[in-house]
C-alpha cells in the first residue's frame, strides 16, 4: 500500500511540477515575445500557406498551442481574421506544438539543476524585464525536466509489476482502446504536452527483458492519436459564447485531429516501422522518446499537407455542421472585441481593447453629429435618439473599464504593456467625458424644445457652427489616437483656445439677440450650458492630443 501511495503521488507530483513549469515557460515566453507573435499572426495570414507558417512559428515560440488557438478564436470572433485564415493558423499550431515533445526527447538529466540555477540567477539578478522573462523561461524549462525525472523514477516499479504489464498488453493489442486512453488523459489534464511527456517517459521504461519498451512504439502511437483528439477540448471551451465563425474554427481543430486519428489508426504497424526507420537507432528504451516525438511531428505535418489544399472543404464541413443563422441585431452596449480568455495574453488583449475603445469613441462621434442635426431641425425625436445612444456608450464604457481592470489584476503584463494600458484608460476617460458633455448639451437642447422655446435662425447657425468645429476636432483626435501623429496632435491642442474664443463670441451673440427680442431670455441658462459643453469637449480633445504628444496612442498596439 505504501508503494502504491508513493507511485501515485510521485506521478501526480511530477506531473504538477511539469505542468507548472510548462505554464510558467509559456507565460514567460509570451511576455518576452507575445507582441512579436501577435504581429506575426497579423502579417502572415494573407494566404493559407503563410497562415500555417504563422501558426507554427507562434506555437513553437510560445510553447503553447492553446495560447495560439485561443488568440485565433478571439481574432475570428472579433472579425479580425476570416474563418479560412483562422483554420490555416490552427493547422500550423498543430505542427508547432510538436516542438515540445521534440525538446522532451533530449536526455539532459545531468544538467537539470544547472539549468534551474542559471534561470534563477538570470531572473533574480537582472533588472530588465525582458531578460527576467528569459531567465524565468530557462528556470521553467529546468522545472519541466525535473517533473519528467520525478515521473520517470516512480514509473520504474510499475514496469516490474506483472499485473500492470498484463494490463498494458491488452491496451497495446487494441489500438482503439489506446486512443480512448490518450483522449481521456488529455481531457483530464488539459494539456497534450503533459500527457505526451507522460507517454514518452512511460514508454522509456524497460519491460521484463530489460531492453524493450514496456509499451513499444506500436502501443504508444494510438495513445498519441488520442492525445491529439483530447487537446481539442481547449479550443471547444474557448469558443463558448463566441461568434459562429469562432465556433467553426474550434470545430475545424477537432475535425483535423479526429480525421487524422481515424486515418492513422488503420496503419499503426507500418507507421511505427516507418518512424523507427527514420529515427535514431539504439536500444528501444533509449530511443523511443524520440520516436514518439517524431511520430507526433510527422502525424501533424502529414495531416496539414492533406488538409491545406482542402481548407475550402474544411470550411464547407464546419459551416454545414454549424450553419448560418438569421442575423439578429447585436446589442450595441455588448463589447464586440473584448474576450476574457485573452486576458492571459495581454499583447492580443490590448489590441482588442484599443479596437473596442475606437468603436466606443465612434459612437460618441455619431452623437455629436446627430446633435448638429437635432439643433438644425429642432427635432425632439433626434434628441431622444442621442440620449438613448448615450446610455449605450456608458454601458460599453463600464464594460471596457471592467476588462482593463481584469487585465491589470491578471499580473500577465510587462511594465511597458502596463504603461500602454494606463494610457488607454486615460484616453477612455476623456472619451467618456466627451460622451457625458454631449449628453448634457443634448439635455439642455431638450429642455429648450420641451419648454416650447424657438431657437432663432441666427442661434441655430451659431450653435451648428460651433458644434461643427467640435465635431471636426473630435474626428481629428480619433485619427491621432490611431496614428500617434505629433503634428496633428499639436494642431488640435492649438485649436483649444480658438474654441474658447468662439464660445465667448457665441455667448455675446446670444445676449444681443435676447436684448433685441430675437431669443427668449428664459432659455439663456440652457443655451449657455450647451456652449459650455462645447468648450469642455474641446478641452477633452486637447487632453487626448496632449497625451498623444507624450507617446500615448494606439499606434503600437494596432500594428
Amino acid at each position: 500500500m505504501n508503494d502504491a501511495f508513493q507511485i501515485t503521488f510521485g506521478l501526480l507530483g511530477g506531473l504538477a511540477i511539469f505542468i507548472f513549469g510548462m505554464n510558467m515557460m509559456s507565460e514567460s515566453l509570451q511576455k518576452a515575445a507575445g507582441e512579436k507573435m501577435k504581429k506575426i499572426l497579423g502579417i502572415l495570414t494573407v494566404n493559407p500557406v503563410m497562415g500555417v507558417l504563422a501558426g507554427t512559428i507562434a506555437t513553437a515560440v510560445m510553447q503553447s498551442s492553446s495560447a495560439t488557438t485561443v488568440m485565433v478564436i478571439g481574432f475570428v470572433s472579433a472579425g479580425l481574421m476570416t474563418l479560412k485564415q483562422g483554420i490555416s493558423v490552427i493547422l500550423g499550431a498543430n505542427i508547432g506544438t510538436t516542438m515540445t515533445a521534440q525538446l522532451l526527447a533530449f536526455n539532459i538529466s545531468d544538467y537539470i539543476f544547472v539549468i534551474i540555477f542559471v534561470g534563477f540567477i538570470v531572473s533574480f539578478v537582472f533588472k530588465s524585464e525582458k531578460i527576467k522573462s528569459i531567465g524565468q523561461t530557462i528556470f521553467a524549462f529546468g522545472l519541466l525536466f525535473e517533473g519528467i525525472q520525478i515521473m520517470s523514477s516512480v514509473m520504474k516499479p510499475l514496469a516490474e509489476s506483472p499485473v500492470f504489464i498484463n494490463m498494458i498488453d491488452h491496451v497495446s493489442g487494441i489500438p482503439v482502446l489506446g486512443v480512448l486512453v490518450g483522449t481521456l488523459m488529455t481531457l483530464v489534464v488539459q494539456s497534450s504536452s503533459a500527457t505526451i511527456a507522460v507517454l514518452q517517459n512511460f514508454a522509456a521504461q524497460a519491460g521484463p527483458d530489460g531492453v524493450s519498451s514496456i509499451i513499444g512504439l506500436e502501443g504508444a502511437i494510438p495513445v498519441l492519436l488520442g492525445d491529439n483528439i483530447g487537446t481539442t477540448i481547449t479550443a471547444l471551451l474557448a469558443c463558448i459564447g463566441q461568434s459562429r465563425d469562432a465556433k467553426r474554427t474550434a470545430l475545424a481543430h477537432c475535425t483535423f485531429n479526429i480525421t487524422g486519428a481515424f486515418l492513422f489508426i488503420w496503419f499503426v504497424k507500418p507507421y511505427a516501422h516507418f518512424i523507427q526507420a527514420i529515427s535514431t537507432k539504439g536500444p528501444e528504451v533509449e530511443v523511443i522518446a524520440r520516436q514518439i516525438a517524431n511520430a507526433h511531428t510527422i502525424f501533424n505535418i502529414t495531416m496539414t499537407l492533406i488538409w491545406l489544399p482542402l481548407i475550402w472543404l474544411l470550411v464547407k464541413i464546419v459551416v454545414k455542421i454549424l450553419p448560418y443563422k438569421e442575423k439578429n441585431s447585436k446589442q450595441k452596449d455588448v463589447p464586440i472585441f473584448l474576450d476574457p480568455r485573452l486576458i492571459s495574453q495581454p499583447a492580443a488583449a490590448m489590441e482588442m481593447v484599443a479596437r473596442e475603445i475606437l468603436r466606443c469613441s465612434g459612437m460618441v462621434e455619431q452623437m455629436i453629429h446627430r446633435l448638429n442635426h437635432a439643433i438644425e431641425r429642432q427635432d425632439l425625436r433626434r434628441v431622444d435618439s442621442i440620449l438613448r445612444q448615450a446610455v449605450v456608450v456608458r454601458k460599453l464604457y463600464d464594460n471596457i473599464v471592467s476588462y482593463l481592470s481584469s487585465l491589470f489584476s491578471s499580473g500577465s503584463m510587462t511594465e511597458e504593456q502596463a504603461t500602454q494600458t494606463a494610457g488607454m484608460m486615460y484616453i477612455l476617460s476623456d472619451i467618456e467625458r466627451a460622451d457625458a458633455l454631449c449628453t448634457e448639451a443634448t439635455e439642455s437642447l431638450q429642455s429648450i424644445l420641451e419648454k416650447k422655446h424657438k431657437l432663432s435662425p441666427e442661434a441655430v447657425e451659431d450653435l451648428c457652427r460651433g458644434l461643427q468645429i467640435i465635431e471636426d476636432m473630435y474626428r481629428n483626435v480619433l485619427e491621432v489616437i490611431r496614428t500617434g501623429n505629433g503634428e496633428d496632435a499639436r494642431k488640435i491642442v492649438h485649436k483649444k483656445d480658438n474654441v474658447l474664443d468662439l464660445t465667448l463670441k457665441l455667448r455675446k451673440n446670444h445676449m444681443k439677440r435676447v436684448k433685441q427680442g430675437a431669443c427668449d431670455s428664459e432659455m439663456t441658462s440652457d443655451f449657455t450650458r450647451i456652449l459650455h459643453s462645447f468648450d469642455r469637449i474641446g478641452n477633452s480633445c486637447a487632453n487626448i492630443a496632449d497625451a498623444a504628444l507624450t507617446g500615448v496612442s494606439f499606434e503600437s498596439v494596432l500594428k
Side-chain angles (χ1 to χ4, degrees):
M1 181 66 184
N2 189 43
D3 286 345
F5 183 85
Q6 284 187 327
I7 290 170
T8 301
F9 282 94
L11 277 171
L12 293 174
L15 185 62
I17 291 172
F18 176 88
I19 293 174
F20 176 78
M22 196 78 208
N23 289 341
M24 184 180 179
M25 186 167 75
S26 178
E27 286 172 13
S28 300
L29 283 167
Q30 284 183 61
K31 280 186 177 180
E35 286 285 351
K36 289 183 176 63
M37 292 308 102
K38 179 181 73 88
K39 287 172 188 173
I40 284 171
L41 287 179
I43 295 167
L44 297 184
T45 52
V46 289
N47 62 58
V49 175
M50 296 302 281
V52 168
L53 180 62
T56 303
I57 293 171
T59 306
V61 171
M62 293 193 293
Q63 282 295 295
S64 173
S65 61
S66 298
T68 307
T69 302
V70 169
M71 196 184 294
V72 168
I73 287 175
F75 286 167
V76 171
S77 180
L80 304 180
M81 265 188 196
T82 64
L83 177 59
K84 192 175 180 180
Q85 286 174 321
I87 290 174
S88 69
V89 175
I90 295 287
L91 298 186
N94 279 288
I95 297 174
T97 195
T98 66
M99 295 303 106
T100 306
Q102 293 290 352
L103 285 173
L104 298 179
F106 288 105
N107 183 11
I108 60 168
S109 55
D110 294 339
Y111 309 103
I112 289 172
F113 292 113
V114 174
I115 292 169
I116 290 173
F117 179 72
V118 169
F120 170 75
I121 290 297
V122 172
S123 63
F124 187 74
V125 171
F126 288 91
K127 301 299 180 189
S128 165
E129 196 164 7
K130 187 159 277 190
I131 295 176
K132 271 184 178 294
S133 294
I134 292 169
Q136 287 168 355
T137 301
I138 297 168
F139 179 77
F141 185 67
L143 280 185
L144 184 147
F145 274 94
E146 178 57 19
I148 290 171
Q149 281 295 105
I150 293 168
M151 287 189 284
S152 180
S153 64
V154 298
M155 281 179 188
K156 287 189 184 348
L158 284 178
E160 297 166 5
S161 166
V163 176
F164 193 74
I165 290 169
N166 185 49
M167 186 176 70
I168 290 300
D169 283 341
H170 280 85
V171 174
S172 300
I174 309 171
V176 173
L177 196 55
V179 172
L180 185 62
V181 168
T183 303
L184 290 174
M185 283 171 63
T186 308
L187 284 174
V188 171
V189 177
Q190 281 287 289
S191 170
S192 62
S193 296
T195 51
I196 290 169
V198 171
L199 178 63
Q200 285 175 301
N201 273 276
F202 180 70
Q205 304 306 313
D209 62 3
V211 178
S212 301
S213 164
I214 190 173
I215 189 172
L217 186 58
E218 285 184 33
I221 286 173
V223 180
L224 183 68
L225 298 177
D227 288 335
N228 276 281
I229 294 173
T231 194
T232 60
I233 194 67
T234 306
L236 290 173
L237 290 173
C239 74
I240 294 171
Q242 298 288 347
S243 69
R244 206 100 173 130
D245 274 344
K247 290 174 182 173
R248 292 186 185 114
T249 307
L251 186 58
H253 189 207
C254 293
T255 305
F256 175 91
N257 285 305
I258 291 170
T259 55
F262 182 78
L263 176 63
F264 274 68
I265 197 75
W266 305 103
F267 306 103
V268 170
K269 188 171 279 192
Y271 186 52
H273 290 323
F274 170 71
I275 295 298
Q276 286 164 345
I278 65 168
S279 300
T280 311
K281 302 296 184 288
E284 189 175 37
V285 289
E286 293 179 13
V287 299
I288 195 165
R290 178 65 63 194
Q291 290 174 352
I292 290 171
N294 290 344
H296 190 208
T297 301
I298 291 169
F299 165 80
N300 281 288
I301 289 173
T302 303
M303 290 310 301
T304 299
L305 291 174
I306 290 171
W307 276 115
L308 186 57
L310 299 173
I311 284 183
W312 62 271
L313 178 61
L314 194 51
V315 170
K316 278 194 171 185
I317 290 169
V318 296
V319 169
K320 186 75 174 173
I321 296 170
L322 288 171
Y324 286 102
K325 283 184 174 178
E326 233 178 277
K327 285 190 178 178
N328 297 320
S329 56
K330 189 166 184 177
Q331 286 178 273
K332 289 184 179 179
D333 59 349
V334 175
I336 291 175
F337 299 102
L338 304 186
D339 184 350
R341 297 163 191 84
L342 285 177
I343 283 174
S344 60
Q345 298 172 56
M350 286 168 63
E351 177 178 349
M352 297 301 194
V353 171
R355 292 183 184 279
E356 200 66 63
I357 291 174
L358 288 172
R359 175 176 170 249
C360 182
S361 58
M363 290 183 182
V364 177
E365 184 184 0
Q366 286 177 355
M367 286 171 61
I368 296 170
H369 184 72
R370 288 177 185 174
L371 179 56
N372 208 329
H373 287 294
I375 290 170
E376 191 177 354
R377 291 168 177 77
Q378 300 188 50
D379 185 352
L380 270 172
R381 283 177 302 177
R382 289 175 187 267
V383 166
D384 290 339
S385 170
I386 296 165
L387 294 177
R388 283 196 301 273
Q389 178 124 333
V391 174
V392 168
V393 171
R394 278 196 291 277
K395 285 183 180 176
L396 191 55
Y397 167 81
D398 289 340
N399 279 317
I400 298 171
V401 169
S402 177
Y403 190 87
L404 283 169
S405 299
S406 299
L407 195 54
F408 269 114
S409 62
S410 69
S412 58
M413 289 190 292
T414 62
E415 285 182 21
E416 184 183 351
Q417 287 171 335
T419 302
Q420 286 178 321
T421 307
M424 287 182 178
M425 200 167 271
Y426 180 87
I427 289 171
L428 181 62
S429 65
D430 268 302
I431 288 168
E432 191 275 335
R433 193 174 295 118
D435 164 64
L437 292 168
C438 186
T439 304
E440 282 182 22
T442 307
E443 287 171 345
S444 297
L445 177 63
Q446 184 183 42
S447 175
I448 290 171
L449 298 178
E450 284 179 347
K451 290 173 184 174
K452 307 297 182 186
H453 297 308
K454 194 75 176 172
L455 289 166
S456 67
E458 293 80 9
V460 169
E461 186 182 345
D462 274 359
L463 288 177
C464 288
R465 181 156 55 100
L467 194 55
Q468 187 59 56
I469 291 170
I470 293 299
E471 186 180 347
D472 292 342
M473 196 174 175
Y474 186 81
R475 189 181 299 114
N476 291 337
V477 89
L478 293 190
E479 191 58 33
V480 167
I481 293 172
R482 290 187 185 92
T483 63
N485 188 302
E487 187 57 39
D488 289 345
R490 274 185 281 273
K491 287 177 183 175
I492 292 166
V493 173
H494 292 148
K495 276 186 181 178
K496 182 174 75 169
D497 293 335
N498 296 340
V499 171
L500 177 60
D501 291 341
L502 177 67
T503 53
L504 287 172
K505 183 181 177 183
L506 297 183
R507 280 185 177 89
K508 288 179 183 175
N509 289 349
H510 173 71
M511 297 314 295
K512 284 180 185 175
R513 288 192 294 272
V514 169
K515 189 176 180 181
Q516 294 165 358
C519 282
D520 195 329
S521 61
E522 289 182 15
M523 70 178 190
T524 298
S525 175
D526 289 320
F527 190 90
T528 53
R529 267 201 298 271
I530 293 173
L531 295 179
H532 186 56
S533 297
F534 290 178
D535 187 29
R536 290 169 67 198
I537 292 173
N539 285 340
S540 291
C541 292
N543 289 342
I544 296 171
D546 267 330
L549 288 173
T550 62
V552 177
S553 75
F554 297 164
E555 181 194 12
S556 59
V557 178
L558 293 173
K559 271 185 179 177

